[in-house]
Amino acid sequence: MFRSHNCGELRIKDLDTQVTLCGWVHHIRDLGKLLFIDLRDRYGTTQIYFDSNNKPQLYQIAKNLGREYVIQIEGIVRERSNKNPKMPTGDIEIDVDRLTVLNKSKIPPFTIEDDTDGGEELRMQYRYLDLRRNVMKETMIFRHELNLSIRNFLSEKSFLEIETPFLIKSTPEGARDFIVPSRLNPGNFYALPQSPQLLKQLLMFAGMDRYFQIVRCFRDEDFRADRQPEFTQLDCEMSFVEREDILDLFEDMMRYLFNKLLNIDLPTFPRLTYQKAMETYGSDKPDLRFDMPIIDITDKLKGHGFKFFDDSEYIGGLLLINKPSVSRKYIDKLTEWVKSPQIGSTGMAYIRYLDGELKASISRFFSNEDLQKIMNSLKAGNNDILFIISGNKEKSLNILGNLRLKLANDYQLIQKNTFKPLWVIEFPMFEWDDENQRYTASHHPFTSPLNEDIELLDTNPAIARSNAYDMVINGVEVGGGSIRIHDKNLQKKIFKLLNLTNQEAEDKFGFFLKALDFGAPPHGGIAFGIDRILTVMLGLNSIRDVIAFPKNNMGRDLMMQAPAPISEEQLKELHIKII
Amino acid sequence: MFRSHNCGELRIKDLDTQVTLCGWVHHIRDLGKLLFIDLRDRYGTTQIYFDSNNKPQLYQIAKNLGREYVIQIEGIVRERSNKNPKMPTGDIEIDVDRLTVLNKSKIPPFTIEDDTDGGEELRMQYRYLDLRRNVMKETMIFRHELNLSIRNFLSEKSFLEIETPFLIKSTPEGARDFIVPSRLNPGNFYALPQSPQLLKQLLMFAGMDRYFQIVRCFRDEDFRADRQPEFTQLDCEMSFVEREDILDLFEDMMRYLFNKLLNIDLPTFPRLTYQKAMETYGSDKPDLRFDMPIIDITDKLKGHGFKFFDDSEYIGGLLLINKPSVSRKYIDKLTEWVKSPQIGSTGMAYIRYLDGELKASISRFFSNEDLQKIMNSLKAGNNDILFIISGNKEKSLNILGNLRLKLANDYQLIQKNTFKPLWVIEFPMFEWDDENQRYTASHHPFTSPLNEDIELLDTNPAIARSNAYDMVINGVEVGGGSIRIHDKNLQKKIFKLLNLTNQEAEDKFGFFLKALDFGAPPHGGIAFGIDRILTVMLGLNSIRDVIAFPKNNMGRDLMMQAPAPISEEQLKELHIKII
């Protein structure tokens, strides 16, 4: 028995108790006669002290302790004269009688504080020290509680967590697979799952009815900011359901989680079609924490003789309300920004009321009266400014979506600590891949079209809508899913539309097509990004902050130094060679 | 809404209710005027019927249904005239008004019954059909409940489930790693974890105090019966603990699980030292469901002039009680068996009382009186038979251990449905690897020696005992762990004893040795094989029967046909080539 109590539990009721505590030396304050230490473990911090008058020898030993030493102390719980109401243990302190150094510590390369002086690279290199910081520890506890709450919620709803294999067959579609050479089957390779999509569908064929799994998934993508080659997914599938069954159940789940873990009651999730989301917010994952919808002003601005507008398929605007501080300089910068390659606009116009006066970048082409009419029709008031983007409709909406977020950021339109969830539904079935001149699946090739759009597969697949849906919170797509195809002929038709030959479909998905022959039930599902849910719930910026041992943007684990070279012997056994 | 009820929930109280059910056609019985179908889903089976008098058209459609068709029916709940008390829904049946075929099915290649006619290969190929069998479904549900119960039990005890990475650094020690080429770091490789051993220790360094994870682990071993390249582990670690803290807690956990899931109260787990286990049962995972300990009869049998015995280091016996049916032929076969290469004995002797008469294979060298004395000292009675193995002690004990299990099997000494758990403690620290002329770690290189044996590391490491422990139930090692080393110098000494040069230790475990510099707490842990726990609890023979999608003994997934070749393009991107 190393300890009688942890460092977070002693209270005034424990006065005069003899206790044994273990923990890390967090702070040392040597007042000459008294030496105070904040002793820290996972459960909290307890002040302990060494009295040089009563125990001069012990005091001398304590003087040699350093930050992050691991110690065990025995002592008596005393009432503090200087109580600290911010600490749960702040009413008491320990008068130490015995001290054992369990392990020494070198001086940590950064401070073990919420606001640490350690840069991210250093923190990842010494992740075991980084995780000692309270904020990281609390995140790990929150993650544990989230996962456990999900498991208990879904189990209550008759879901079974079923473990699917990690060493599966490579069926790259979309992202690249990580692959694993098989030593015992030379020239053959396993793949790590990008998701257990086909396996969970097979579990539905197997009659499991309701499946979930909190499971690691792998995508060998070109690394970019805030992507991880491995990430955790809450993967779910249900049989004999329609879209509404799934949306209702998982909306309930999310409401339960927010209530239980954050004490926040989420509102009913509005449902937006993809089309409506794009037209209103220029995004299929709109951030509803602020208003400022995109306004279609095509009809209002066309036909005034301004060729640039007249030639545009679409003209859209964003009305920034009551911001007299918007300067000419800011507008110029913003115009440059929308014209940058990553945004890709050809330009931007504006109309504004500033201090009661109408100003517009397009005043050469429009009469003051016309401009006023436009502004009035939008109910624009003094110090409001209308930013205008025109051109191809899809592209313009995209630009307006980006512009909307930028304006919200620049003018702090986003309320902190609010959560605005919604469902986006009725996604397009396909996206056209210009480079390879073929359709790709917007969701994945196993997604069912909307019943009413099945005929469009033959006549005009480009406008066919799928029975897919995303859950979006605060502009983050936290989950997505679809009703799946359970009809073999429809599945084959989709493969064909995706340009897979019969042979390719057979090679990649033969086992799955075969399974569709033996009584596959109607089914659908959804998958959530656990890392993303956590960043949204905790208001964090990076998924690296919710993962115990994350990789950097190059896919490297800086602590272990992985990936790394392996021995020639290992390579030879695997029947491979580096080229 | 596909269904109003599932196929397991309707009762007599639901009479005359209009219901909609979905499920698979399990059995069809066409009685000419009435056609009965057992409709099956995960929750049970409900009898439905089609009446040719009242609904001739519907009856005609129903006649075309086949086994495993997926259908939806609407109808009225009626009381059965022929009640089936074995079925929870056996009091009622459904008079069908509407029938929709949701999907057809080809005739399954084997019957969907507990005693199926499908061989294991076929069952694995069509695993989605195999899982429809009730026994497999119940196993999946049990597995779900086991995992959830473990999670809730440990969470109640302040353990945090923390997810550790799957793409880590290769540090082969013991088994081979599966490796994963890194596309973005050419010539570099990740490894899949054999267990999160170092990561969980680092979580202790990080102050997480109590960690667990139900996690997939990977070992690239030469395949043999009942091994899987990927398996599920319950991985646990605790800080500031001694062995007894760990044994107590996890004994409680196992008792909780057996009680909750099987309604069985396990006894207190006896604790056997490794030495005692070997000397008494010839095994470090003894099966205590039957008695028959090994009896050291060295002193009794030596010195009678039988050179073979006199030259033996050790003579041990097993007393098979009251088995008059043991024939000469059986004894001859048994002797052949102990002499087979996999058992490796040089021979076997016996002494028995058969129908009141003393018989012995060694009667040439021993007087009847001596033999009787020996038998009497063992309290052997009529029809008892003593099997005797002699030679090198360690080897003889091993042979006796195997012989003990064989006799138990051959004479059905093992009580069914009993569970005999125990702890085996104080394992040797090292094993001598004759081939490579070096010590290997019996447990793993991070295991602490017993405090009292630390000095032996310098003087006689071969007899040093470790602070490792195994949990054994019914002869299966379901879990094992140890108190770990938290002192850097001790860790380095162990690496040295394992013949790692400083450079090798640094290359492989540098990040870990570095972490030991920053205040590593005393800690220890344990890991359980979930698949093994399940086979023991459910009394199954193979872990393949508790895994949703297992691989065969060659590591192949027969359903997906993995591993498989991958494209030249994929190989090229990964900077590798097949040789």
Side-chain angles (χ1 to χ4, degrees):
Chain A
M1 198 69 123
F2 266 91
R3 58 189 169 190
S4 62
H5 295 78
N6 66 47
C7 293
E9 64 179 314
L10 291 170
R11 298 290 183 275
I12 199 83
K13 68 171 171 51
D14 301 303
L15 279 194
D16 302 325
T17 312
Q18 165 104 16
V19 298
T20 311
L21 300 183
C22 290
W24 284 263
V25 172
H26 190 62
H27 281 141
I28 309 175
R29 284 181 316 283
D30 188 354
L31 306 183
K33 287 195 170 162
L34 284 174
L35 187 145
F36 290 97
I37 286 177
D38 287 343
L39 190 63
R40 189 196 69 231
D41 67 10
R42 187 184 111 198
Y43 310 95
T45 303
T46 298
Q47 179 164 296
I48 65 175
Y49 68 90
F50 299 84
D51 186 331
S52 69
N53 283 338
N54 295 338
K55 295 152 203 156
Q57 266 184 311
L58 204 59
Y59 173 85
Q60 282 307 322
I61 302 171
K63 269 180 92 75
N64 289 320
L65 294 173
R67 268 169 56 208
E68 300 305 315
Y69 273 43
V70 188
I71 62 173
Q72 182 190 48
I73 59 111
E74 231 177 273
I76 309 287
V77 181
R78 304 288 187 207
E79 183 163 8
R80 275 213 218 180
S81 52
N82 234 337
K83 296 209 170 73
N84 182 346
K86 281 188 209 152
M87 284 170 72
T89 64
D91 288 350
I92 59 96
E93 57 192 355
I94 314 291
D95 181 1
V96 179
D97 292 322
R98 201 182 52 76
L99 165 68
T100 310
V101 176
L102 298 172
N103 218 342
K104 295 185 177 192
S105 175
K106 288 189 178 169
I107 294 168
F110 51 83
T111 57
I112 312 293
E113 303 290 346
D114 281 3
D115 281 320
T116 182
D117 52 356
E120 197 180 12
E121 186 127 337
L122 206 59
R123 285 174 46 213
M124 286 176 69
Q125 215 177 320
Y126 294 88
R127 190 61 161 185
Y128 43 90
L129 298 180
D130 192 34
L131 289 169
R132 285 185 196 167
R133 297 192 303 124
N134 198 54
V135 59
M136 290 303 297
K137 182 197 76 184
E138 291 298 334
T139 300
M140 292 300 115
I141 294 174
F142 192 92
R143 184 172 185 128
H144 163 75
E145 282 170 357
L146 178 81
N147 284 348
L148 190 69
S149 302
I150 289 171
R151 286 187 159 109
N152 282 313
F153 178 90
L154 291 176
S155 301
E156 280 293 310
K157 305 265 180 208
S158 297
F159 283 78
L160 300 177
E161 184 160 20
I162 300 177
E163 299 160 61
T164 53
F166 279 73
L167 297 173
I168 65 168
K169 182 177 163 161
S170 181
T171 56
E173 177 68 30
R176 284 186 197 82
D177 284 331
F178 279 105
I179 65 117
V180 182
S182 167
R183 182 175 57 88
L184 293 178
N185 301 276
N188 287 272
F189 298 82
Y190 301 102
L192 300 178
Q194 295 187 32
S195 92
Q197 181 60 35
L198 292 177
L199 291 159
K200 71 175 171 175
Q201 291 191 242
L202 289 167
L203 287 172
M204 293 304 101
F205 302 2
M208 291 298 157
D209 207 75
R210 294 183 161 203
Y211 145 93
F212 82 100
Q213 193 182 188
I214 296 181
V215 63
R216 203 68 53 81
C217 298
F218 305 85
R219 271 178 215 176
D220 185 10
E221 292 177 302
D222 291 327
F223 295 109
R224 21 182 176 144
D226 220 26
R227 284 281 173 135
Q228 291 281 316
E230 51 177 313
F231 56 95
T232 302
Q233 189 163 298
L234 166 61
D235 196 45
C236 307
E237 199 78 6
M238 303 168 79
S239 290
F240 303 117
V241 287
E242 288 161 342
R243 185 185 69 198
E244 292 309 300
D245 299 312
I246 295 176
L247 301 199
D248 285 349
L249 195 147
F250 289 98
E251 187 171 324
D252 277 353
M253 181 189 79
M254 202 51 84
R255 205 175 283 118
Y256 168 81
L257 295 172
F258 269 78
N259 180 284
K260 177 158 193 230
L261 300 175
L262 294 177
N263 202 20
I264 284 173
D265 289 319
L266 290 183
T268 301
F269 293 22
R271 293 177 192 187
L272 279 186
T273 63
Y274 171 84
Q275 197 190 338
K276 180 85 177 165
M278 291 308 297
E279 286 178 352
T280 316
Y281 301 104
S283 169
D284 59 359
K285 43 180 184 182
D287 190 337
L288 302 189
R289 283 176 297 176
F290 63 101
D291 212 355
M292 189 156 67
I294 295 168
I295 310 157
D296 184 346
I297 44 176
T298 315
D299 292 344
K300 295 190 172 74
L301 290 183
K302 267 184 151 183
H304 291 262
F306 180 28
K307 192 174 172 342
F308 194 70
F309 281 173
D310 290 349
D311 289 351
S312 288
E313 180 192 3
Y314 172 87
I315 310 170
L318 288 167
L319 191 66
L320 182 65
I321 305 283
N322 194 28
K323 288 282 176 286
S325 62
V326 176
S327 65
R328 244 336 275 254
K329 209 171 138 196
Y330 175 78
I331 295 175
D332 288 346
K333 272 202 164 169
L334 201 61
T335 309
E336 257 170 64
W337 179 82
V338 296
K339 286 161 83 175
S340 67
Q342 81 265 28
I343 305 299
S345 183
T346 46
M348 184 179 77
Y350 71 89
I351 314 173
R352 75 189 297 188
Y353 284 117
L354 185 60
D355 302 328
E357 231 175 287
L358 185 78
K359 304 208 165 189
S361 61
I362 47 172
S363 51
R364 273 209 291 155
F365 309 98
F366 288 81
S367 69
N368 244 20
E369 201 179 54
D370 282 342
L371 292 174
Q372 255 167 6
K373 225 192 247 168
I374 293 162
M375 291 294 266
N376 287 347
S377 75
L378 306 180
K379 303 202 172 74
N382 194 22
N383 295 324
D384 291 358
I385 176 163
L386 178 72
F387 294 103
I388 302 164
I389 297 289
S390 62
N392 163 283
K393 181 172 177 181
E394 197 183 323
K395 209 173 152 186
S396 298
L397 287 171
N398 242 309
I399 294 164
L400 285 159
N402 280 309
L403 181 58
R404 181 174 173 271
L405 292 179
K406 181 159 175 61
L407 290 170
N409 257 318
D410 291 353
Y411 288 95
Q412 277 104 51
L413 303 183
I414 296 173
Q415 301 167 47
K416 292 272 167 204
N417 298 318
T418 55
F419 294 95
K420 293 290 183 185
L422 75 152
W423 289 105
V424 179
I425 58 177
E426 297 182 9
F427 281 79
M429 193 71 190
F430 303 106
E431 283 162 18
W432 182 251
D433 175 355
D434 225 23
E435 193 183 321
N436 297 304
Q437 288 288 304
R438 68 177 191 102
Y439 286 117
T440 60
S442 300
H443 189 50
H444 57 51
F446 314 103
T447 297
S448 174
L450 284 181
N451 274 336
E452 57 264 44
D453 286 9
I454 284 189
E455 277 178 24
L456 287 173
L457 296 180
D458 295 320
T459 56
N460 191 358
I463 64 163
R465 290 163 303 166
S466 74
N467 207 343
Y469 32 82
D470 280 355
M471 185 191 282
V472 176
I473 305 178
N474 293 359
V476 178
E477 178 209 325
V478 294
S482 63
I483 296 297
R484 326 296 185 188
I485 296 164
H486 64 279
D487 177 77
K488 187 176 185 174
N489 289 326
L490 181 55
Q491 186 63 71
K492 281 173 123 174
K493 180 179 275 184
I494 299 294
F495 283 155
K496 209 168 198 171
L497 280 165
L498 294 171
N499 243 17
L500 259 73
T501 65
N502 278 343
Q503 191 53 49
E504 285 168 335
E506 195 54 38
D507 287 348
K508 277 187 170 179
F509 304 114
F511 69 98
F512 184 73
L513 287 169
K514 188 175 177 184
L516 282 167
D517 276 336
F518 290 94
H523 63 293
I526 190 164
F528 294 89
I530 291 287
D531 309 305
R532 285 194 193 169
I533 291 177
L534 282 161
T535 51
V536 169
M537 287 182 93
L538 296 174
L540 297 171
N541 291 319
S542 166
I543 62 169
R544 286 190 297 277
D545 283 336
V546 302
I547 297 172
F549 298 105
K551 294 179 178 57
N552 74 2
N553 285 338
M554 283 304 294
R556 290 197 66 80
D557 184 312
L558 296 179
M559 181 183 69
M560 280 189 275
Q561 290 301 336
I566 59 172
S567 71
E568 277 305 316
E569 201 189 323
Q570 277 176 293
L571 287 170
K572 215 170 136 188
E573 282 191 329
L574 296 169
H575 321 281
I576 58 169
K577 195 176 131 174
I578 298 169
I579 50 169
Chain B
M1 198 67 122
F2 266 91
R3 58 188 169 192
S4 63
H5 296 77
N6 65 47
C7 294
E9 64 180 314
L10 291 169
R11 298 289 183 275
I12 200 84
K13 67 171 172 49
D14 300 303
L15 280 194
D16 302 327
T17 312
Q18 165 105 14
V19 297
T20 310
L21 300 183
C22 290
W24 283 264
V25 172
H26 190 62
H27 281 140
I28 309 175
R29 285 183 314 285
D30 189 353
L31 306 183
K33 287 193 171 165
L34 283 174
L35 187 144
F36 290 97
I37 286 177
D38 286 345
L39 190 64
R40 188 197 69 231
D41 67 10
R42 188 184 111 198
Y43 311 95
T45 302
T46 298
Q47 179 164 298
I48 65 175
Y49 68 90
F50 298 84
D51 185 332
S52 68
N53 283 338
N54 296 337
K55 294 152 202 156
Q57 265 184 314
L58 204 57
Y59 173 84
Q60 282 308 321
I61 302 171
K63 268 179 93 72
N64 290 320
L65 293 175
R67 267 169 58 207
E68 299 306 313
Y69 273 44
V70 188
I71 62 172
Q72 182 190 49
I73 58 110
E74 232 177 272
I76 309 287
V77 181
R78 305 288 187 207
E79 183 163 8
R80 275 213 220 179
S81 51
N82 235 338
K83 296 207 171 77
N84 182 347
K86 282 188 208 150
M87 284 172 72
T89 63
D91 288 351
I92 58 97
E93 58 191 353
I94 314 291
D95 180 2
V96 179
D97 292 322
R98 202 181 52 77
L99 165 68
T100 311
V101 176
L102 296 173
N103 218 342
K104 294 184 178 189
S105 175
K106 288 190 179 170
I107 294 168
F110 50 84
T111 56
I112 311 295
E113 303 291 346
D114 281 3
D115 280 319
T116 181
D117 54 355
E120 196 179 11
E121 186 128 335
L122 206 59
R123 286 173 46 212
M124 285 176 71
Q125 212 178 321
Y126 294 88
R127 191 62 161 183
Y128 43 90
L129 298 180
D130 192 34
L131 289 169
R132 285 185 196 167
R133 296 191 305 124
N134 198 54
V135 59
M136 290 303 298
K137 180 197 77 182
E138 290 299 334
T139 300
M140 292 300 115
I141 293 174
F142 192 92
R143 184 172 185 128
H144 163 74
E145 281 170 359
L146 178 81
N147 284 347
L148 190 68
S149 301
I150 289 171
R151 287 186 158 109
N152 282 313
F153 177 90
L154 291 176
S155 301
E156 280 293 311
K157 305 265 181 208
S158 297
F159 283 78
L160 299 177
E161 184 160 21
I162 300 177
E163 299 159 62
T164 53
F166 279 72
L167 297 172
I168 65 170
K169 182 176 164 162
S170 181
T171 57
E173 178 67 30
R176 286 185 194 83
D177 285 330
F178 279 105
I179 64 118
V180 183
S182 167
R183 182 174 57 88
L184 294 178
N185 301 276
N188 286 272
F189 298 82
Y190 301 102
L192 300 178
Q194 295 187 32
S195 92
Q197 181 59 36
L198 293 177
L199 291 158
K200 71 175 171 175
Q201 292 192 243
L202 289 167
L203 287 173
M204 293 303 101
F205 301 2
M208 291 298 157
D209 207 74
R210 294 183 159 203
Y211 145 93
F212 81 102
Q213 195 182 186
I214 296 180
V215 64
R216 202 68 52 83
C217 298
F218 305 86
R219 271 178 214 174
D220 185 10
E221 290 177 302
D222 291 328
F223 294 110
R224 21 180 176 144
D226 221 28
R227 285 279 174 136
Q228 291 281 316
E230 50 177 312
F231 55 96
T232 302
Q233 188 163 299
L234 165 61
D235 196 45
C236 307
E237 199 78 6
M238 302 168 79
S239 291
F240 304 115
V241 288
E242 289 160 341
R243 185 185 68 198
E244 293 308 300
D245 300 312
I246 295 176
L247 301 198
D248 285 349
L249 196 146
F250 289 97
E251 187 172 323
D252 278 353
M253 180 187 80
M254 202 52 83
R255 205 175 283 117
Y256 169 80
L257 296 172
F258 270 78
N259 179 285
K260 177 158 194 228
L261 300 175
L262 294 177
N263 202 22
I264 284 174
D265 289 319
L266 290 182
T268 302
F269 294 22
R271 293 178 191 186
L272 281 185
T273 63
Y274 170 84
Q275 198 189 336
K276 180 84 178 163
M278 291 309 296
E279 286 178 352
T280 316
Y281 302 103
S283 168
D284 60 358
K285 43 180 185 183
D287 190 337
L288 302 188
R289 283 176 299 175
F290 62 102
D291 211 356
M292 190 157 65
I294 295 168
I295 311 159
D296 184 345
I297 45 176
T298 315
D299 292 345
K300 296 190 172 72
L301 292 182
K302 268 184 153 183
H304 290 263
F306 181 28
K307 192 172 171 346
F308 194 71
F309 281 173
D310 291 348
D311 289 350
S312 289
E313 179 192 2
Y314 171 89
I315 309 169
L318 289 167
L319 190 66
L320 183 66
I321 304 282
N322 194 27
K323 290 280 174 290
S325 62
V326 175
S327 65
R328 248 331 280 254
K329 207 172 138 197
Y330 175 78
I331 295 175
D332 288 348
K333 269 201 167 168
L334 201 61
T335 309
E336 256 170 63
W337 179 82
V338 296
K339 287 162 83 174
S340 67
Q342 79 266 26
I343 305 298
S345 183
T346 46
M348 185 179 77
Y350 73 88
I351 313 173
R352 73 189 297 189
Y353 284 119
L354 185 61
D355 304 327
E357 229 174 291
L358 185 79
K359 305 208 168 191
S361 61
I362 48 173
S363 49
R364 274 208 289 157
F365 309 97
F366 288 82
S367 69
N368 244 20
E369 199 178 55
D370 281 343
L371 292 173
Q372 256 168 4
K373 223 191 250 169
I374 292 162
M375 291 295 266
N376 289 346
S377 76
L378 306 179
K379 304 199 171 78
N382 194 21
N383 295 324
D384 291 359
I385 175 163
L386 178 71
F387 295 101
I388 302 165
I389 297 289
S390 62
N392 162 283
K393 181 172 179 181
E394 198 183 323
K395 212 173 151 188
S396 298
L397 287 171
N398 242 308
I399 294 163
L400 285 159
N402 281 309
L403 182 58
R404 181 176 173 269
L405 292 178
K406 180 157 175 61
L407 290 170
N409 257 317
D410 290 353
Y411 288 94
Q412 278 105 51
L413 304 183
I414 296 172
Q415 301 167 46
K416 293 272 167 204
N417 299 317
T418 54
F419 295 95
K420 294 289 183 185
L422 75 152
W423 289 106
V424 180
I425 58 176
E426 297 183 9
F427 282 80
M429 192 71 190
F430 304 106
E431 283 162 18
W432 181 251
D433 175 354
D434 225 25
E435 193 184 322
N436 296 304
Q437 287 287 304
R438 68 177 191 100
Y439 286 118
T440 60
S442 300
H443 189 52
H444 56 50
F446 314 103
T447 297
S448 175
L450 284 181
N451 274 335
E452 57 264 44
D453 285 8
I454 284 188
E455 277 178 24
L456 288 173
L457 297 181
D458 294 322
T459 56
N460 190 358
I463 64 162
R465 289 163 303 165
S466 74
N467 208 343
Y469 31 81
D470 279 355
M471 185 191 284
V472 177
I473 305 180
N474 293 0
V476 178
E477 179 209 324
V478 294
S482 63
I483 296 295
R484 326 296 186 188
I485 296 164
H486 65 279
D487 177 77
K488 187 177 185 174
N489 289 327
L490 182 55
Q491 186 63 72
K492 281 172 125 175
K493 179 179 278 184
I494 299 294
F495 283 154
K496 212 168 195 170
L497 281 164
L498 295 171
N499 242 17
L500 260 73
T501 65
N502 277 343
Q503 191 54 47
E504 285 167 336
E506 193 56 39
D507 286 349
K508 276 186 168 179
F509 304 115
F511 69 98
F512 184 73
L513 287 170
K514 188 175 178 184
L516 282 167
D517 276 335
F518 290 95
H523 63 293
I526 191 164
F528 294 89
I530 292 287
D531 309 304
R532 285 194 193 169
I533 291 178
L534 282 161
T535 51
V536 169
M537 287 183 92
L538 296 174
L540 298 170
N541 291 318
S542 166
I543 61 169
R544 287 190 297 277
D545 283 335
V546 303
I547 297 172
F549 299 105
K551 292 178 179 59
N552 74 3
N553 285 338
M554 282 305 295
R556 290 197 66 80
D557 183 313
L558 296 178
M559 181 184 69
M560 279 189 275
Q561 290 300 335
I566 59 172
S567 70
E568 277 304 315
E569 200 189 324
Q570 277 176 294
L571 287 171
K572 213 170 138 187
E573 281 190 330
L574 296 170
H575 320 281
I576 57 170
K577 196 175 131 175
I578 299 170
I579 49 168

